[in-house]
Amino acid sequence: MSNIKKIAVLTSGGDAPGMNSAVRAVVFSAFQFGIEVVGVFRGYEGLIDWEVKNLDLEDVRNINNRGGTFLYTSRSERFLQPEYRKQAADNLRKNGVDALVAIGGDGTLRGAIAFQSEGINTILIPGTIDRDVSCTEYTLGFDTAANTAMEAIDRIRDSSVSHGRCSVVEVMGRKRGYIALWAGMATSADAIVLPEKWDGNFDSITDAIKRRHADGRNSYLVVVAEGVTDAPELAELIRKKTGIESRVSVLGYIQRGGQPTAKDRMYGSLMGAFAVELLQMGKQNRIVAIKNDILIDYDLEEALDIQNNMLDSFQYELSLRLSE
């Protein structure tokens, strides 16, 4: 067992539904062990500038249903520089903080790895709607983002059917296509463009739309993960090659917001509590992960090399079959 008396908690990078549940669980779990908790505002930036608040149970009691993060967040360019990491570490030591719980995605993980050289014990909770932390099968925010995208696409599709047009909908995800895949399958998309599978063949999309149009279909839906291809360009290409009116909808940041789903609240609570358990067990520099729906942990550096959550080939093949 460790002799930790005081910890800090922060949220970093893109906000993700479920982050508040994780912070709440950290505070409640720490309270059970007699550990003080300092909330750090604006992620690693707030750690450098020491923008903090001592958190008690009343500060976090009713934040489960709130989207975003009440601790605020940022992407810190300064934290990439050794002198600012040292400043952050000095702030923690001067204020008697024994360990840090950081909640965020891939960039937050890399920051935590770099922070090890300053001697600060960091536990990372993966929170990113993109689901792009490879060592874990789930990251906080994904379920809410996928559901938000699905609900928006359902509404867009209603209009598409009414006007007899093709809707090209761009969703978030960066280098991972999970939101596009899940939202696309859930809304019966005619084509889903994923970064893991995209070969640049626009003809495969336009030819499929032509075939369905010849069979009597009059409305179509294409879901595109951001960064794979230019969505307006794809819509214009569809219009030129098929003669079908095509419109673009970029869902953008609405996918980050809104009330977290039960899944994100539950996983946030589990991961937050588990992070404190790891500290109590005396573990150093670990990341919380989910495998086969069970909480596990990995060394921070080891986590970068683990590939647990690559796009499932069966899910992708099924999306192709269901789009026929």
Side-chain angles (χ1 to χ4, degrees):
M1 301 294 288
S2 74
N3 60 352
I4 287 178
K5 301 298 182 184
K6 189 174 185 179
I7 63 176
V9 60
L10 60 80
T11 52
S12 175
D15 59 299
M19 282 182 164
N20 284 330
S21 294
V23 174
R24 175 178 178 270
V26 166
V27 174
F28 268 74
S29 298
F31 176 81
Q32 296 298 320
F33 292 116
I35 300 172
E36 292 181 59
V37 181
V38 175
V40 180
F41 295 104
R42 298 192 308 115
Y44 290 137
E45 282 288 289
L47 207 57
I48 295 168
D49 297 328
W50 200 239
E51 299 177 22
V52 304
K53 172 181 170 55
N54 291 330
L55 298 178
D56 59 30
L57 299 186
E58 291 307 312
D59 291 314
V60 299
R61 191 176 297 281
N62 295 310
I63 63 173
N64 248 14
N65 66 330
R66 290 165 57 180
T69 164
F70 90 107
L71 289 178
Y72 310 115
T73 187
S74 68
R75 290 183 169 88
S76 177
E77 293 295 324
R78 290 192 296 169
F79 201 73
L80 300 176
Q81 303 173 46
E83 63 268 30
Y84 287 109
R85 289 198 298 273
K86 182 180 184 303
Q87 182 174 323
D90 288 343
N91 284 336
L92 290 169
R93 280 188 282 264
K94 281 190 301 185
N95 289 278
V97 177
D98 302 304
L100 172 68
V101 176
I103 308 167
D106 182 71
T108 307
L109 169 58
R110 293 176 188 277
I113 290 171
F115 209 29
Q116 291 180 102
S117 64
E118 298 299 333
I120 300 298
N121 182 14
T122 303
I123 306 296
L124 184 83
I125 297 173
T128 165
I129 67 169
D130 300 334
R131 202 171 146 184
D132 64 351
V133 178
S134 295
C135 69
T136 181
E137 293 171 359
Y138 190 77
T139 61
L140 295 182
F142 170 73
D143 188 62
T144 304
N147 275 278
T148 300
M150 176 192 71
E151 291 167 4
I153 293 170
D154 279 341
R155 288 164 172 76
I156 291 167
R157 178 148 220 169
D158 287 345
S159 180
S160 181
V161 169
S162 297
H163 289 270
R165 64 167 66 116
C166 176
S167 290
V168 177
V169 182
E170 181 183 282
V171 300
M172 298 180 85
R174 295 197 341 183
K175 296 179 181 179
R176 289 294 171 92
Y178 278 108
I179 295 176
L181 179 63
W182 282 47
M185 287 182 66
T187 55
S188 304
D190 297 286
I192 305 172
V193 183
L194 308 174
E196 297 91 338
K197 301 294 183 179
W198 177 239
D199 59 3
N201 182 15
F202 289 107
D203 289 342
S204 63
I205 297 173
T206 56
D207 289 348
I209 291 174
K210 286 178 183 177
R211 287 196 305 272
R212 288 159 197 161
H213 192 64
D215 290 337
R217 291 271 300 278
N218 75 334
S219 64
Y220 313 90
L221 171 64
V222 178
V223 177
V224 184
E226 65 177 347
V228 181
T229 187
D230 184 77
E233 178 186 330
L234 177 56
E236 179 61 16
L237 185 67
I238 290 170
R239 186 194 66 78
K240 285 181 177 178
K241 289 203 168 189
T242 67
I244 298 166
E245 180 188 4
S246 300
R247 297 287 179 89
V248 177
S249 297
V250 178
L251 298 189
Y253 288 101
I254 67 164
Q255 293 158 92
R256 289 200 184 281
Q259 292 185 323
T261 60
K263 184 171 185 176
D264 279 322
R265 298 183 200 193
M266 185 64 177
Y267 274 131
S269 299
L270 290 169
M271 288 177 164
F274 191 59
V276 177
E277 294 279 349
L278 292 175
L279 290 172
Q280 275 296 103
M281 288 187 282
K283 291 203 173 186
Q284 299 275 325
N285 300 310
R286 310 294 289 181
I287 180 171
V288 175
I290 299 286
K291 186 175 183 181
N292 299 326
D293 212 30
I294 296 173
L295 286 161
I296 59 174
D297 60 284
Y298 295 107
D299 174 79
L300 289 176
E301 293 192 66
E302 177 191 2
L304 285 178
D305 299 322
I306 297 172
Q307 300 294 324
N308 276 345
N309 74 342
M310 300 304 290
L311 192 74
D312 183 87
S313 58
F314 178 75
Q315 291 182 21
Y316 176 67
E317 293 300 326
L318 179 60
S319 75
L320 296 178
R321 291 204 295 258
L322 294 178
S323 66
E324 288 299 327

